[in-house]
Amino acid sequence: MSDGNERNQDGNNTPSQGGEQTRSSRLSLRPAGRPEVGRTVDAGSVRQSFSHGRSKVVQVEVRKPKRNATGPGAGAAARGGRPGGRALTAAELAARQRALEGQRQAAAEEAARREEEKIQIMSAAEAARRAAEEERLIAEQKAAEIAALKESEQQAAREQAAAEAAARAAEQAAAEAAAREAEEAARAAPLDPRTHSTGGVQLAAPVQRLRPLAERAIMPPRPVQPSRPAPSAAPARNNETLHLRSGAAAAGEEERRPAPRRSGPGAPPAPPRRPSAPSRKAGGSDRRSGRIDVRAAIEGDDDKTRSLASVRRQRDRERRQAELERLRSDQVRVVRDVIVPETITVAELANRMASRQGEVIKALMKMGVMATAAQSIDGDTAELVVEEFGHRIKRVSESDVEIGIEGVEDSAEELLPRAPVVTVMGHVDHGKTSLLDALRTTDVAASEAGGITQHIGAYQITAPSGKKITFIDTPGHEAFTSMRARGASVTDIVVLVVAADDGVMPQTIEAIKHAKAANAPIIVAINKIDKPGANPNRVRQELLSHEIVVEEMGGDTQDVEVSALKRTGLDKLEECILLQSEMLDLRANPDRVAEGVVIESRLDRGRGPVAAVLVQKGTLRRGDILVAGSEWGRVRAVLDDRGRQLKDAGPSMPVEVLGLTGVPGAGEPFVVVENDARAREISEFRQRKIKDKEAASQVAARGTLDQMLARIQAGVQKEVALLIKADVQGSAEAISATVQKLAHEEVAVRVLNASVGQITESDIQLAKASNAIIVAFNVRATTQARELAQREGVDIRYYSIIYQVADDVEQLVKGKVAPKHREKFLGYAEIRQVFNITKTGKVAGCYVTEGLVKRGCGVRLLRDNVVIHEGELSQLKRFKDDVKEVARGYECGLSFAGYNDLREGDMVECYEMEVIPA
């Protein structure tokens, strides 16, 4: 049975666990109103509480001698009983305990939830300050412990010194020691409170050392036991403190002490409390061992001394609450690094500064900028707002994603010799492709449609000396200007091919301009010297007018007479190219990431997007992540100019690359990056730039508001809408540029899309929606697209030669031009007499002096050679008959529609409008 056993009998009080006297209701099996006179047995119950938490109720009976109940209290008990005085049952106590535990648990959960909400909004600065505060508290606690230890050591030293001095004094005053000891013993003896009602004298505990906070919060204080001081400790009595308590004060304290709870309103008054028995625990501490019984929980006597952890948690909560209030009142501001792009919305700016949107909008209004949370502001305005709020700003741009993709400059020790890149340029049909076929021992020219080159090609040959030369073949038609410009921009040497029987032509002049713009040396190859009408000297003379002076005429430009058909002069041409490359000292670093340029691109049906690239730096390997223009991808295959698989490609080597996500633009640079994320980011940025540029061009094409209104008043502007599909990107660009040059002032040529690949159903639907014509250059439509075009009536025109495209589009434009109206002079008639007819009005009697007069023609009335009226002729009569026309030398009658101011001597000019087709 534990310390919490309770005995319930009639009127008997047993000491509780804490040493307090309690008064409980009597438990009995006898009815409440039955008198107790003559009863010799008291029945009751005892609740036993065990240390393991369980309790047990035991029924007990106490026998007593039979006696009559006398006194007022007995009569009252016999008459009225104790209504409502029964004790709670075990089930009710358990229910009450569960309710209390539920309330405590709910309160703890609510406190934890609020604590979590407060902690979540704390910033990193608040956590740092909290850590600093904890460190400061720990340091203060350590300092206090050290100070207390030092104080205890000093106190011990002082006590030791005092003891030594007392010992010496005891030796000198041995006679007086006994009397002083007796007197001190009598004075220090405790007074009996029963015999001395005026008060008691107790010795206070001596001054102790300062104990640590954990010891003071957890460990109970030591009991105060007054000890008889030694005779030699006379000086130490000055530090003792006497606590006096009078009898009246003790009685008042007993009266102020609350009475124990009783059940029921009719409970008799409690008798005066007896002095509480001393606690079983040392020092009389009210602290329990951590266990709370049901009775203590019901009566509310469950207060416990707070632990050190509880004190720390309370302090942390108070400190966090104070810091939170300071943050909310803007007394403490956290300085952040705010990243601001070129444009940013107000809401996003407020989010990055961790400020309210209303405060940011207010700051903008002070600057004169009216913007809502969803509107965007420029980077300069955002920078002013960030500085206004006291944060640090970091400006970034969307183009920053391209920083660092080109790599670093190579040192001279890393550069190794590379093959020269030679671009063959010249006029159409001057033998450029045939010359390359003779060098490569191939027959590419035979496969070209119309006998002309319409694609740009890249090849690499090995000279008899073992050195390699990379050739780039460009088309010579005037429509392929962009291809020639691309070839000149990536080349080291330009070979200008001029036919000996044709001389310098327009595209030859254009090639010279491209070579000079690229600052590339020129080697003149005079081709077709085997033809009967060949005159190489005439070619050299014509080149002088374009500042090309060959070596035979004292210049520095090499010239070679060759014949692609007879294969003569080819070795000399190779020697000139290698000599020029040695003079240029061409070098590159192969041990780095690859960089280069896209020469041509196309969409292959079986292999997907295919890009012909020229590696300029580094080595391109299979598996590299490539970014080419606005497209990216992982290199799945590397092919040379003859279709053979390669593992890698070094500098100055043209190859075909497979694995891109789309068809890159011709002439776009490519670079190898480290990972997919970087490649995707760069590709998305470049695609956004292209879309923005297209949108801006569409807005510019619409013109200003005045121009738009003028077109509305004049009628809808006519246009020829085209959708271009080509086999390669370069051909699509060339056709688009060619057809746009054919636009008329009345008819515009609009290219909806110029792309590569076969014609699909989406192309048919776009052409149907825009009423456009599909121009297919060396491509065909799929079966589904062809059937859809037949059902929808979409016109698909197939071409293989570019000038046929230009001719057809020109005819389409001319067909939409409105025909011209021209005035045709008919003749003059002189008014000789004016007749006034009642129903008809005035009729002019005229004599035709020149030409003829036709019915319904236009007329002008001239008076003194001044036009006073212009209108139509309503009636033409000869005598009384209506006639269609009256020739010169005859008289006739004329009537004007809506005009009667006719006079004799006026002249009538007759004309008619004729339509002239465009």
Side-chain angles (χ1 to χ4, degrees), residues 99-416:
L100 290 175
E101 289 178 356
Q103 292 178 357
R104 290 182 189 135
Q105 184 177 2
E109 291 177 354
E110 180 65 20
R113 184 183 63 80
R114 293 181 179 177
E115 188 69 17
E116 290 177 356
E117 291 179 354
K118 293 178 182 178
I119 291 175
Q120 287 177 357
I121 59 177
M122 296 296 290
S123 62
E126 298 165 2
R129 287 196 296 274
R130 183 168 62 252
E133 184 69 14
E134 291 179 356
E135 293 177 358
R136 183 180 63 80
L137 290 176
I138 294 173
E140 290 178 358
Q141 182 178 351
K142 290 182 178 179
E145 292 177 356
I146 294 172
L149 182 60
K150 291 182 178 179
E151 181 67 21
S152 63
E153 292 177 356
Q154 294 175 1
Q155 182 69 19
R158 287 195 297 268
E159 291 178 356
Q160 185 178 0
E164 293 176 357
R168 288 192 298 270
E171 293 175 358
Q172 296 176 2
E176 299 176 358
R180 187 179 296 110
E181 180 179 1
E183 182 183 355
E184 292 294 333
R187 185 180 303 174
L191 299 178
D192 190 357
R194 293 174 292 183
T195 58
H196 296 79
S197 60
T198 58
V201 179
Q202 294 179 355
L203 288 178
V207 179
Q208 300 175 357
R209 66 179 180 85
L210 180 62
R211 295 183 296 160
L213 178 60
E215 184 180 348
R216 295 198 305 270
I218 298 174
M219 298 180 63
R222 294 179 179 178
V224 178
Q225 298 178 356
S227 60
R228 180 176 297 179
S232 61
R237 289 197 302 271
N238 298 329
N239 296 330
E240 295 178 351
T241 303
L242 296 179
H243 296 277
L244 302 179
R245 185 175 60 181
S246 62
E253 185 177 7
E254 290 292 336
E255 292 174 1
R256 289 192 301 271
R257 193 172 295 172
R261 298 181 181 179
R262 297 293 303 271
S263 300
R273 299 186 59 175
R274 291 178 296 176
S276 60
S279 175
R280 279 188 291 266
K281 291 189 177 179
S285 174
D286 292 338
R287 177 180 177 85
R288 293 188 177 91
S289 60
R291 181 176 57 83
I292 303 174
D293 58 4
V294 176
R295 186 178 186 84
I298 294 174
E299 295 182 357
D301 190 14
D302 56 346
D303 293 337
K304 299 171 64 176
T305 304
R306 299 186 65 180
S307 64
L308 178 60
S310 177
V311 173
R312 286 181 177 176
R313 287 194 298 269
Q314 179 64 22
R315 290 180 180 177
D316 289 342
R317 283 194 295 269
E318 294 175 354
R319 183 168 57 253
R320 285 193 295 267
Q321 185 66 25
E323 292 176 353
L324 184 61
E325 293 297 331
R326 287 200 304 272
L327 287 175
R328 288 180 176 175
S329 59
D330 291 337
Q331 295 178 359
V332 179
R333 287 187 179 272
V334 180
V335 180
R336 293 179 171 84
D337 292 328
V338 181
I339 299 176
V340 177
E342 295 177 352
T343 58
I344 186 173
T345 62
V346 177
E348 180 63 22
L349 180 61
N351 186 24
R352 295 187 181 185
M353 293 191 300
S355 302
R356 296 185 179 90
Q357 296 181 7
E359 296 177 357
V360 179
I361 294 174
K362 187 186 298 182
L364 289 172
M365 293 176 66
K366 291 180 181 179
M367 299 177 186
V369 178
M370 301 298 175
T372 61
Q375 290 180 347
S376 299
I377 57 177
D378 59 285
D380 297 334
T381 305
E383 182 176 359
L384 295 177
V385 174
V386 172
E387 293 176 353
E388 179 73 17
F389 279 76
H391 299 293
R392 294 184 295 269
I393 187 170
K394 183 179 179 182
R395 293 291 298 270
V396 296
S397 175
E398 290 186 356
S399 59
D400 293 346
V401 299
E402 295 183 337
I403 296 177
I405 64 173
E406 297 180 356
V408 297
E409 291 293 332
D410 299 321
S411 61
E413 294 80 7
E414 299 173 343
L415 301 179
L416 299 177

Side-chain angles (χ1 to χ4, degrees), residues 692-898:
D692 294 343
K693 186 177 180 180
E694 291 177 353
S697 63
Q698 291 177 1
V699 173
R702 287 194 291 266
T704 62
L705 180 61
D706 296 337
Q707 296 173 351
M708 186 182 298
L709 293 176
R711 287 198 300 269
I712 292 174
Q713 293 177 358
V716 180
Q717 186 180 14
K718 298 178 181 179
E719 67 177 11
V720 175
L722 300 176
L723 195 149
I724 300 173
K725 301 288 288 187
D727 54 345
V728 295
Q729 189 72 29
S731 299
E733 293 177 358
I735 295 172
S736 177
T738 300
V739 298
Q740 287 179 354
K741 293 179 182 178
L742 302 175
H744 192 267
E745 59 182 2
E746 297 181 5
V747 181
V749 177
R750 183 163 65 100
V751 178
L752 300 178
N753 187 22
S755 58
V756 298
Q758 59 185 354
I759 301 172
T760 60
E761 296 178 64
S762 60
D763 298 327
I764 302 297
Q765 293 173 357
L766 177 59
K768 174 63 178 178
S770 305
N771 195 19
I773 298 174
I774 297 179
V775 176
F777 188 77
N778 289 332
V779 294
R780 294 295 180 267
T782 62
T783 304
Q784 296 84 357
R786 188 163 52 250
E787 294 175 356
L788 181 60
Q790 292 176 357
R791 290 197 305 268
E792 300 293 342
V794 177
D795 188 8
I796 302 177
R797 302 190 181 186
Y798 300 97
Y799 302 95
S800 58
I801 302 175
I802 192 168
Y803 53 76
Q804 294 178 352
V805 179
D807 294 343
D808 284 1
V809 173
E810 186 177 3
Q811 293 296 328
L812 289 173
V813 171
K814 289 182 178 179
K816 287 183 176 291
V817 174
K820 301 296 182 181
H821 294 271
R822 186 175 60 181
E823 181 181 303
K824 180 181 179 181
F825 174 73
L826 294 179
Y828 286 108
E830 180 184 358
I831 299 177
R832 293 189 174 183
Q833 190 173 355
V834 178
F835 302 95
N836 193 356
I837 301 175
T838 304
K839 294 183 180 179
T840 306
K842 292 185 177 181
V843 176
C846 301
Y847 177 76
V848 180
T849 59
E850 183 180 349
L852 55 86
V853 178
K854 286 185 177 181
R855 190 195 337 178
C857 66
V859 293
R860 294 187 183 93
L861 184 62
L862 306 178
R863 185 174 294 167
D864 297 331
N865 291 328
V866 177
V867 178
I868 61 174
H869 173 69
E870 182 174 358
E872 294 181 356
L873 192 63
S874 60
Q875 289 184 357
L876 175 62
K877 290 190 176 184
R878 171 84 173 149
F879 297 106
K880 293 182 179 181
D881 300 328
D882 291 331
V883 293
K884 292 183 178 180
E885 61 182 27
V886 177
R888 176 183 177 184
Y890 291 94
E891 293 180 351
C892 61
L894 303 178
S895 176
F896 299 91

